[in-house]
Structures are given as C-alpha cells and as structure tokens.
Amino acid sequence: MQQPLLESAPRPVLNRFAPERGDLVVCREMLRTGSRSFQAASLLLPTQVREAATGLYAFCRMADDAVDLGDGGQDVLDRLNERLDRAYAGTPIDDPVDRAFARVVARYGIPKALPAALIEGFAWDAAGRRYEDLSGLFDYSARVAGTVGAMMTLLMGVRDPGALARAADLGVAMQLSNIARDVGEDARNGRIYLPLSWLREAGIDPEAWLADPDGTPGIDRLVRRLLKVADDLYVRAESGIVRLPVGCRPGIYAARFLYAEIGREVERLGPQAVCRRAVVSGRRKLALLLRALAASPHPRGPASAPPLAETAFLVEAVRNHPAPAHRHAGPQRLEDRLIWVLDLFERLERSERESNPDYRYRRRPVVGLENT
C-alpha cells in the first residue's frame, strides 16, 4: 500500500540516550546518498558547521523530495509548511530530520522566510513554471539555491549584508550550473529553465525543442551563454568568501570550484551535453578540494556590489531577524582537513570502481593529481 505523502520513512534504530546524535546520523545518511558534491565540499568545513549544515540539508532534501515525488498539489505544500511552522515553534514532528532542523534554526537564528522561500521554489518546480527572461530565472534560483547560500552563511556566524549578498550570488551561480548540466534531461521531462526569450532570439520554438531535445541545434550556444552568467557570479561571490571565518573558507571555496567545474565539463561535451550528463570525476574533485585548501585570500570580485535585485529579500530577511547569542566555528587544523580529503579520495575511488566494471584502479600519488 502506498504510504501517505510526507510520512516519515523507516529510520535506523537509534540510541535513545543520545537523540541529538542519532538524528544527525540519519541526516548524514541523506547527505551521503543525496549529493556527492555537497558532501565533498562539506568535508572541508569545521565540525560544528558541517553538522549544522547536515541537519539543514536533510530538511531541504526532504522538502524537495516531497514536492518532486508527490503530486505537487497544495496539500503537499500545506503539510510542508506545517512542518516548517512546527520546527520554528520548537515542536517539530517526531522525525529525526525535523528535530535536527528545529535545533539548527533556533541555534543560528535563521529567519523563517529563508526556508519558506525555498519551499516556494520547489512549488514553482512542481507547477512546471517557465521563465521569460534571466531575471525570472534569477527569481527561481534565489529561492532554490540563494536561500541555501544565505543559510549556510548564518551557520558560520556571519550576518553581514555584504557577505550574505555574495553567498546568494554563489547559490544562484551553482543553480545555473546545474541547469546547464541538466538541460537535456529536463527537456525530456517536459521542463524548460532556459529563458524563453533566449530561445526565441535563437529561433528555437520551445515546444519543438521539448518534442525533440536531442535533435534541436543551437541549444549548446544558449547553455554556454548561461554558463557565462554563472561564471560572472562565481567571481562576484569570491569577495564574500573572504568575509567568512578562516576555518570555513576552504569548504565554500570547494563548493565554488566543484560546481563551476560542472560548467567546464558541459563545455567540453559541447552539443553532446544535451544527450549526455556531464560528470566531474572523483580524481578531478579531489584536485579541486586540494585547490580549495590553498585558495587565494585575494578575491577577484567587487567587494561592495549590491545584491542581485532578485536576492535582496534574503538579505533583508536576515537584517530584520534577531541574531542568536552563540559562538561560530573557529579555524580547524589543516592536517585534519587533509585527513578528510584523503579519506574522501579513497571513498571516491571505491565508488568509481563499484559503479564502473571497466574501471581499472591504478594507485597514483596524491601530489600532482591535477595532471591525472
């Protein structure tokens, strides 16, 4: 019999004497299976931030799945918003994800407007909304990704409007990279995220493209155009990264490099990116993680640029919300982060071997992986 939507899935048996730690175990498993790039980047964050981010991500993942896998109806959204209300009231439903999320938003003073906007973005997805221009696409990206960037900044103890604006830039850029990677897959599922005005300018009829995604020429040029917008936002975001605590910067640099690399893989595929999914290899991910550890503290982006018009509401929501009294995570030893990286490398190698029977493992030194 089909389970009711949003009903809690079976969970591992937890130690009843350590409920908070047990909730985190469940959330961490969702992170492990839900986003390898997010997991890789999170390994470079200080423990306190990484654990809070895990609880935050799990709730976001649950909400996304509820909307995406359900019928997308108003009843699903109402029940999600009810769970959000209960978390903010300090009475979450009896589910590890909700309990962990409630603790995070209370400890770090996350305005309710941020996760509420995220859920609104998921609802736009369920409705199959299309976007006439780049501003409309920014509106969507602000909700499904800019919100996450702003919330992550709060987990690091930073509430500066300039840093929040740049965090939202980074979130929007990452979403544009995802859209560029998935443009063909989305079209085959009847979804269009590229601005409709761009399609018309290129002489492409949206409905004709949906009917034959793999055989419509010119889409790759629009994808490259979108990636250029993303790259400009990645550069803008750099001036926000240097405003974060020193121990947090490598993890955010890692996210910036890993997601920007998705765009590079899309560009390498060219027109084939419409019918083949661009994938960043495990070895390349490791190289980028090592690069994040040594990232330059001198950003290229403007330090005083205002937020995008479409993300300004996120900055204002934080400005109008009281800050909690808590200590943000301090620096973490470089040796500890390197141990996490090496452990990640071993897991990426193992995953690649298990998922690809033709893969032949060849041990290589960690130094010099940029050239492998």
Side-chain angles (χ1 to χ4, degrees), residues 276-289:
R276 288 177 54 192
R277 183 180 176 87
V279 176
V280 180
S281 72
R283 290 181 177 277
R284 182 59 182 156
K285 283 183 180 178
L286 178 63
L288 293 170
L289 292 176

Side-chain angles (χ1 to χ4, degrees), residues 249-315:
R249 294 175 194 171
I252 305 307
Y253 269 120
R256 179 253 187 271
F257 294 147
L258 287 167
Y259 277 83
E261 187 65 15
I262 292 173
R264 305 291 77 78
E265 291 295 331
V266 170
E267 290 172 341
R268 292 182 189 110
L269 287 175
Q272 291 299 310
V274 176
C275 52
R276 288 177 54 192
R277 183 180 176 87
V279 176
V280 180
S281 72
R283 290 181 177 277
R284 182 59 182 156
K285 283 183 180 178
L286 178 63
L288 293 170
L289 292 176
L290 295 176
R291 178 184 173 192
L293 287 170
S296 169
H298 305 294
R300 295 173 291 165
S304 59
L308 296 171
E310 297 82 4
T311 63
F313 77 99
L314 302 174
V315 178

